[in-house]
Amino acid sequence: MQRALSVWGACRSFDLAETDAIAAASGRILIVDLDLSDPATIGAARAALAPHRRGGTPFLFLLRDMSARCQMQANALGARVVLPAATAQPALLDRVGALLGLLQEAGPQAAQQRRFVRASAAFADLLEAAGSGDALPVQLIHDGVEAINRAAADADLDAWLDLVWRHDDATYQHCLLVSGLVAAFAHKLGFSEADRQLITGAAVLHDIGKARIPLDILRKEGPLTPEERAIICRHPQIGHDMLVAQGGFAPLVLDAVLSHHEMLDGSGYPRGIGAERISDPVRVITICDIYAALIERRSYKQPLPPGEAFAVLVGMGGKLDRDLVRVFGEVVLGTAVSRLGKVLGPAGPRDAERVA
Ligand SMILES: [Fe+2]
Ligand SMILES: [Fe+2]
């Protein structure tokens, strides 16, 4: 839930016993998930929440027992909203977004936000299942993919990116970013509706193997040791094996998960295969994946502006599909010629490869 709630910004969780930490925490909203049938818990909650109640922070209570007594108890503790603990995650995220004043009620932006929240909630369940070894929730993945595709069809990539940057969790940010880029790119390339669904689904799942990589390595600040790098480089194979073990995933999805770090010149991993064995959909995903990593803010690196990130793709030369990179430029830089000219200097886009 903490990860899912990060769609609205940084989220921390506390145990009720951490009274001092709760009192010292500053936040825009408090979500309280406690057993209010226990008088000792109620007493502790009253003390822990008091400074925030005085400060006017809104409380949202999740109750496992929705009896009138427990609801009254929650209200007495200062609840502004009371929901059953079993509330579906998208509905919970909507309520939290509304309480924070971040969720628009109407208009095209509101629709985009709701799609983003849906996709984000689907990711929460997906990563949770992947990390714990449960079967991946195929229907939820499908719902998330549909939301991303509709967002891309609206051709409002900027609005999607604004929402992605608000998300506090780097893994989510990356998956939502790559998926949004792939959906927009597939749209630009004229993929059929069915093919767009398929390739966006592959993008959603491309890094699923990272759910099994220790978090202290994934989130490490500073350079990785060769051993740590080797562990991270296992994620395509791990992800592929997870999907094969579960069964029912399209060959394109399996291929993308396994081969999204392969390069056309054979310098990629895990297999070092070359252009003849790297399909077009995988090439599309690889371009979006690298571009996303370049424009993301990470603890160990500054984000690159879109133009500079695109110049890096161009500079990779024969590792990536040059024709696809060119079209991708039109997706991320708007009118490629004018904006690329600014990035690469007065010589203009024709010199892109030489500059690189
Ligand atoms: Fe990856
Ligand atoms: Fe990735």
Side-chain angles (χ1 to χ4, degrees):
M1 186 190 294
Q2 185 182 348
R3 286 185 112 171
L5 285 167
S6 300
V7 70
W8 297 127
C11 175
R12 290 177 63 195
S13 69
F14 301 95
D15 191 275
L16 187 55
E18 299 173 81
T19 325
D20 291 345
I22 297 174
S26 64
R28 291 174 296 157
I29 186 170
L30 253 156
I31 297 172
V32 185
D33 183 2
L34 293 170
D35 176 7
L36 295 185
S37 61
D38 175 9
T41 302
I42 294 168
R46 186 173 296 117
L49 296 177
H52 296 285
R53 192 168 43 236
R54 283 194 294 270
T57 309
F59 299 162
L60 184 153
F61 273 66
L62 294 172
L63 297 183
R64 271 143 228 289
D65 172 0
M66 285 295 280
S67 65
R69 196 166 142 262
C70 283
Q71 290 198 48
M72 272 169 56
Q73 201 55 258
N75 290 329
L77 287 169
R80 192 174 299 177
V81 175
V82 177
L83 292 174
T87 301
Q89 223 157 45
L92 174 63
L93 295 180
D94 279 354
R95 286 305 286 273
V96 172
L99 272 175
L100 289 171
L102 293 173
L103 196 64
Q104 318 281 333
E105 290 302 325
Q109 255 190 329
Q112 190 81 324
Q113 266 191 340
R114 275 173 215 286
R115 284 179 200 138
F116 185 80
V117 170
R118 296 287 168 278
S120 183
F123 272 116
D125 287 348
L126 180 60
L127 290 176
E128 166 100 14
S132 62
D134 293 341
L136 302 179
V138 176
Q139 183 56 44
L140 273 174
I141 298 170
H142 180 79
D143 293 349
V145 165
E146 206 163 84
I148 294 165
N149 258 318
R150 248 180 293 142
D154 281 356
D156 199 356
L157 195 58
D158 284 344
W160 184 262
L161 294 185
D162 284 346
L163 294 165
V164 167
W165 299 140
R166 194 184 283 163
H167 209 301
D168 188 56
D169 187 296
T171 309
Y172 277 48
Q173 254 198 9
H174 178 69
C175 285
L176 289 162
L177 187 52
V178 175
S179 313
L181 289 169
V182 165
F185 196 3
H187 211 261
K188 178 83 182 174
L189 290 166
F191 279 34
S192 71
E193 166 96 39
D195 285 348
R196 281 210 314 270
Q197 293 279 344
L198 201 54
I199 196 170
T200 309
V204 164
L205 289 166
H206 82 279
D207 269 340
I208 194 68
K210 283 191 181 165
R212 302 267 173 89
I213 304 288
L215 273 182
D216 51 337
I217 298 182
L218 277 185
R219 293 188 181 164
K220 183 176 174 185
E221 296 185 18
L224 295 170
T225 66
E227 294 76 26
E228 289 167 339
R229 189 170 298 284
I231 292 173
I232 288 196
C233 288
R234 282 189 214 141
H235 78 271
Q237 189 70 53
I238 293 173
H240 176 264
D241 294 350
M242 280 166 66
L243 301 190
V244 169
Q246 179 165 338
F249 291 93
L252 186 153
V253 175
L254 298 177
D255 192 23
V257 171
L258 182 60
S259 304
H260 67 276
H261 287 286
E262 301 287 0
M263 296 290 136
L264 299 189
D265 64 0
S267 63
Y269 66 90
R271 294 176 293 167
I273 55 176
E276 65 291 345
R277 292 176 63 194
I278 303 176
S279 68
D280 285 347
V282 172
R283 296 174 187 207
V284 163
I285 291 174
T286 301
I287 289 170
C288 296
D289 189 30
I290 296 171
Y291 179 81
L294 291 169
I295 64 170
E296 279 161 25
R297 182 186 309 278
R298 296 281 168 81
S299 54
Y300 50 84
K301 71 158 189 76
Q302 285 294 313
L304 282 186
E308 285 178 36
F310 181 68
V312 172
L313 293 185
V314 173
M316 289 178 70
K319 291 179 186 293
L320 302 174
D321 187 310
R322 287 172 210 233
D323 291 334
L324 286 174
V325 167
R326 201 164 299 131
V327 181
F328 185 66
E330 293 172 29
V331 176
V332 290
L333 302 179
T335 50
V337 175
S338 61
R339 309 254 313 252
L340 190 60
K342 270 185 222 152
V343 174
L344 297 172
R350 216 179 277 177
D351 277 359
E353 280 163 14
R354 186 183 62 78
V355 172

